[in-house]
Amino acid sequence: QENEIKLLTAEIERLKNFGCLGVSPSLEGLRDENAKLKYRLNFLQKSLQEERSKTVKSMININSCLQEIFGAAIQAAYPELENPPLVVTPSQQPKFGDYQCNSAMAISQILLKTKEQKVIPREIADKIAKNIPANECIEKVEIAGPGFINVHLRKDFVSKQLSSLLMNGVQPPAIGKRKKVVVDFSSPNIAKEMHVGHLRSTIIGESMSRLFEFAGYDVLRLNHLGDWGTQFGMLIAHLQDKFPDYLTVSPPIGDLQAFYKESKRRFDTEEEFKKRAYQCVVLLQSKNPDFIKAWELICDVSRKEFQKIYKCLDITLTERGESFYHEMMKDIVKEFEDKGFVQVDDGRKIVFVPGFPVPLTIMKSDGGYTYDTSDLAALKHRLCEEKGDILIYVVDSGQSVHLQTVFAAGQMIGWYDPKVTRVAHAAFGVVLGEDKKKFKTRSGDTVRLIDLLEEGLKRAMDKLKDKERDKVLTAEELKAAQTSVAFGCIKYADLSHNRLNDYVFSFDKMLDDRGNTAAYLLYAFTRIRAIARLANIDEQMLRKAAKEEVLILDHEKEWKLGKCILRFPEILQKILEDLLLHTLCDYLYELATTFTEFYDNCYCVEKDRQSGE
């Protein structure tokens, strides 16, 4: 294969030269010859790649296989078309087969526009179908309606994939070179409590990190804490007044939120205090050790509070707040100045980015830096020092224009090429109360995240007691069930909604065991585990059976379940591309309901009436 690839590459190059010299008597013939050689070359390279990756024993993405097959068929049928449209999707109804290729209609439009040829889509579909290369997955194709190609999979192919899955476990498709992904999420502010607004970023960011790790990427999860800035002046001044011996005795700040509010009230009403607060900022930024100690004390109190929440939700993060980038900011300003991007406006240093009306302010008139400066420094560090191949910012939709401007500035100055490095803003909507307004407490305050989690635990325990689980579970099991249900339901309710939309927070809906909820999935999962326990068959026995026996998919519900299981790599591929995790939730719900249908129609375990086994 490797030798043939070398020969084909040389032959394509020779034909290309002929074309350039205008030697060939038939340009059409030359194009056809070239297209066939390119197809053969592509096919060989792919199969060689597949042979090499087979040792990984990963799951096959059936949709990708079908796209390759139909891509080859379209190329053979219409070699003159460059990048013809390729659309393969799972069928919505079993009567239309298992998958559909819907390219014929779009090709018909292209032929009309570019070649002025009027060809009906059914004819195009027929020509594509006749050019389908030999393959192991398609049983038959049928042309339906205006030009849909309905694809029926071979049962022995599906059976073989399921046996392989049983023997090798759930291995995601190989990703090629191991890339580095940097995910920026959660990012609360020091001295302020985490509120319901931080919930979405924290849950979505953690889930995206797990997704990329599962797919084989090297993931760095960053918590871009708001741990630097002018607010620390008033906090340190208030700390000095309230706990004058803070350098020797650790101050017992119980409620940091109240401490923050007190210092803010004094800052707004006491002129003398305000002046001192500004002096404290200057001394902190000049790294005075006493002021650094005060800053660290305040950060530590906050950190302990954040950690309680991260522990509840099983979140792993590397802290890298704004202070981490402080020393880099002067170099960022200099770099933009040296490249001629800086304009001075009323003493401020600003940068206009083409396509964005609002400039970035990289230095204030008093010489201080801004969020724009620290975000540019963070972007550069992640690209140039961390060598991130993919950067994902899980930040609310309100920051969209700001982040797009920062990304475009990074591109403009040459830190990255978007064709090589992916920098994405995974935006999300706000959390609403059941009244469809912004989620607040009765008194109109923002809902504290810790209160929300505690309420979830209480509701989960009530639900478990309603179902009389407390009578059959030990105290330890009941506690484990309570946390699984409470935090699982809160996470899943968020993830199962399209992150781009606002979503209504409702404990009643979350804890309902009907519909697409964590409670239903936990129930379905428990039922599957119970069957496995009752059958008394372990994984080793299953692997042995998968090796020695052929899996026969006779019953329609069994066939449906088998195909549903094998769609997992397609779902994985889709969410790695668009970062919309609700697609995975929809798939899991479909898998659970398809399993329930199968379970209701096909006996998995039956009791022997004589022996009771």
Side-chain angles (χ1 to χ4, degrees):
Q1 277 185 338
E2 281 178 331
N3 283 337
E4 194 179 345
I5 284 170
K6 279 177 194 165
L7 290 168
L8 281 168
T9 310
E11 183 63 10
I12 287 167
E13 204 53 46
R14 191 178 70 79
L15 283 171
K16 209 190 286 175
N17 291 335
F18 261 135
C20 295
L21 299 167
V23 175
S24 172
S26 159
L27 198 59
E28 212 52 53
L30 187 67
R31 277 197 193 123
D32 277 6
E33 188 63 20
N34 201 9
K36 281 174 188 162
L37 284 169
K38 273 186 177 166
Y39 163 61
R40 177 75 183 142
L41 177 65
N42 192 28
F43 185 81
L44 277 169
Q45 285 171 330
K46 283 259 165 63
S47 70
L48 195 64
Q49 210 174 344
E50 277 165 21
E51 281 305 316
R52 284 175 181 151
S53 67
K54 266 179 191 167
T55 51
V56 180
K57 296 175 177 170
S58 54
M59 286 180 80
I60 284 177
N61 182 333
I62 295 174
N63 199 319
S64 294
C65 291
L66 293 173
Q67 285 191 26
E68 277 176 34
I69 291 163
F70 278 99
I74 293 166
Q75 180 109 48
Y78 295 97
E80 72 278 13
L81 291 184
E82 263 190 59
N83 298 323
L86 183 57
V87 187
V88 178
T89 57
S91 289
Q92 296 305 309
Q93 294 179 47
K95 65 178 178 184
F96 297 134
D98 305 312
Y99 285 83
Q100 270 183 344
C101 173
N102 305 335
S103 298
M105 283 68 82
I107 291 172
S108 168
Q109 292 294 312
I110 290 168
L111 290 174
L112 188 64
K113 277 180 192 165
T114 59
K115 312 274 180 197
E116 292 183 356
Q117 295 174 10
K118 196 170 183 182
V119 189
I120 61 166
R122 267 192 90 96
E123 274 181 38
I124 295 168
D126 191 50
K127 196 172 177 184
I128 294 168
K130 284 180 176 147
N131 279 282
I132 290 173
N135 62 82
E136 62 169 356
C137 53
I138 298 175
E139 176 72 39
K140 62 173 181 176
V141 296
E142 294 164 339
I143 294 157
F148 300 115
I149 304 173
N150 293 340
V151 179
H152 296 261
L153 295 175
R154 285 174 56 163
K155 286 203 170 171
D156 59 348
F157 169 73
V158 171
S159 168
K160 192 172 135 195
Q161 299 311 317
L162 289 166
S163 295
S164 165
L165 178 59
L166 264 178
M167 288 187 283
N168 303 315
V170 182
Q171 303 287 344
I175 55 163
K177 176 182 163 275
R178 186 174 159 92
K179 290 184 173 180
K180 184 165 188 178
V181 183
V182 180
V183 187
D184 172 328
F185 67 99
S186 195
S187 312
N189 289 315
I190 291 290
K192 289 184 181 175
E193 282 188 290
M194 284 178 82
H195 55 77
V196 74
H198 294 111
L199 183 67
R200 297 206 76 184
S201 175
T202 306
I203 289 171
I204 296 166
E206 173 68 26
S207 299
M208 280 183 188
S209 302
R210 292 183 188 191
L211 166 71
F212 278 96
E213 281 168 348
F214 176 74
Y217 292 82
D218 174 19
V219 178
L220 173 64
R221 304 130 171 268
L222 290 184
N223 198 1
H224 189 73
L225 288 179
D227 67 350
W228 200 251
T230 50
Q231 78 272 26
F232 280 96
M234 64 181 194
L235 289 165
I236 292 169
H238 190 51
L239 181 79
Q240 289 171 332
D241 291 349
K242 211 164 177 192
F243 306 104
D245 54 356
Y246 73 91
L247 288 170
T248 50
V249 180
S250 188
I253 305 171
D255 185 345
L256 198 58
Q257 188 82 344
F259 186 84
Y260 181 89
K261 282 179 180 170
E262 281 170 28
S263 63
K264 181 81 176 84
R265 183 187 52 75
R266 290 185 67 192
F267 185 82
D268 292 339
T269 57
E270 299 174 27
E271 204 50 47
E272 197 52 46
F273 180 80
K274 194 174 192 171
K275 277 183 195 165
R276 237 177 70 233
Y278 281 130
Q279 285 165 355
C280 289
V281 173
V282 174
L283 287 162
L284 174 65
Q285 291 183 341
S286 62
K287 300 285 172 73
N288 178 300
D290 289 359
F291 287 79
I292 289 287
K293 173 85 194 273
W295 170 72
E296 283 172 348
L297 282 169
I298 293 164
C299 288
D300 279 346
V301 176
S302 266
R303 213 172 270 125
K304 282 179 188 136
E305 291 305 309
F306 298 156
Q307 204 45 51
K308 286 179 194 170
I309 286 163
Y310 295 147
K311 193 178 176 203
C312 282
L313 295 173
D314 192 18
I315 309 292
T316 313
L317 274 160
T318 298
E319 187 187 308
R320 201 171 283 172
E322 287 167 29
S323 60
F324 178 85
Y325 305 102
H326 193 253
E327 295 300 314
M328 305 169 199
M329 295 193 211
K330 62 176 184 296
D331 294 336
I332 294 292
V333 174
K334 187 176 184 306
E335 190 175 346
F336 275 91
E337 282 177 328
D338 290 349
K339 293 200 174 164
F341 291 125
V342 174
Q343 294 178 30
V344 179
D345 174 60
D346 267 356
R348 296 180 308 145
K349 290 184 180 178
I350 60 171
V351 173
F352 275 98
V353 182
F356 295 90
V358 180
L360 295 170
T361 300
I362 58 170
M363 188 180 268
K364 294 188 287 191
S365 53
D366 63 2
Y369 302 118
T370 66
Y371 284 128
D372 294 350
T373 334
S374 67
D375 284 343
L376 284 166
L379 177 67
K380 185 177 184 186
H381 189 269
R382 291 162 189 184
L383 289 164
C384 305
E385 300 299 319
E386 289 296 348
K387 304 277 191 284
D389 299 294
I390 300 170
L391 268 55
I392 299 167
Y393 287 68
V394 187
V395 183
D396 71 87
S397 304
Q399 298 292 319
S400 187
V401 175
H402 164 71
L403 285 173
Q404 294 307 333
T405 313
V406 169
F407 300 162
Q411 219 174 298
M412 177 177 83
I413 203 163
W415 293 340
Y416 76 102
D417 174 357
K419 292 191 187 86
V420 180
T421 307
R422 180 183 179 187
V423 180
H425 173 207
F428 55 85
V430 295
V431 182
L432 304 174
E434 295 197 58
D435 56 0
K436 305 275 169 61
K437 290 178 183 165
K438 227 172 173 184
F439 198 24
K440 302 265 184 193
T441 62
R442 284 206 180 104
S443 60
D445 291 333
T446 309
V447 179
R448 289 172 15 146
L449 196 42
I450 199 79
D451 295 344
L452 195 77
L453 298 180
E454 280 168 8
E455 174 71 10
L457 284 169
K458 183 186 163 299
R459 299 262 195 138
M461 186 56 87
D462 292 346
K463 186 91 178 170
L464 288 162
K465 284 181 175 171
D466 281 351
K467 302 256 178 196
E468 300 191 332
R469 298 285 87 200
D470 53 325
K471 291 177 182 169
V472 289
L473 298 175
T474 65
E476 204 176 314
E477 287 169 338
L478 188 66
K479 182 94 182 85
Q482 180 193 22
T483 53
S484 292
V485 171
F487 304 143
C489 287
I490 289 170
K491 285 183 187 182
Y492 191 81
D494 194 320
L495 296 170
S496 60
H497 287 85
N498 184 330
R499 64 173 163 76
L500 297 168
N501 303 334
D502 297 344
Y503 99 98
V504 175
F505 191 97
S506 161
F507 274 122
D508 291 339
K509 281 185 187 159
M510 279 176 201
L511 294 163
D512 194 342
D513 48 21
R514 294 158 303 179
N516 188 5
T517 64
Y520 173 73
L521 286 190
L522 287 166
Y523 165 73
F525 177 69
T526 309
R527 187 186 218 184
I528 294 166
R529 301 298 292 172
I531 296 166
R533 259 200 316 276
L534 193 63
N536 205 16
I537 292 172
D538 61 22
E539 283 188 33
Q540 224 170 345
M541 290 158 81
L542 279 174
R543 284 206 181 103
K544 188 172 181 291
K547 237 179 208 162
E548 295 167 3
E549 308 283 335
V550 175
L551 193 62
I552 297 165
L553 305 164
D554 273 347
H555 196 286
E556 58 160 332
K557 298 298 180 188
E558 193 171 27
W559 175 235
K560 185 181 175 184
L561 178 61
K563 289 182 298 178
C564 188
I565 288 168
L566 294 182
R567 278 202 10 249
F568 178 60
E570 297 167 28
I571 302 296
L572 202 60
Q573 184 60 42
K574 185 181 182 301
I575 57 179
L576 284 167
E577 284 166 10
D578 64 22
L579 306 175
L580 295 170
L581 300 172
H582 70 278
T583 311
L584 178 61
C585 298
D586 292 344
Y587 168 73
L588 291 174
Y589 179 58
E590 185 191 336
L591 187 61
T593 51
T594 306
F595 174 80
T596 303
E597 277 179 39
F598 159 73
Y599 175 78
D600 290 343
N601 285 274
C602 305
Y603 281 118
C604 300
V605 186
E606 214 171 345
K607 211 176 222 184
D608 186 302
R609 286 183 184 169
Q610 260 78 47
S611 67
E613 293 231 331

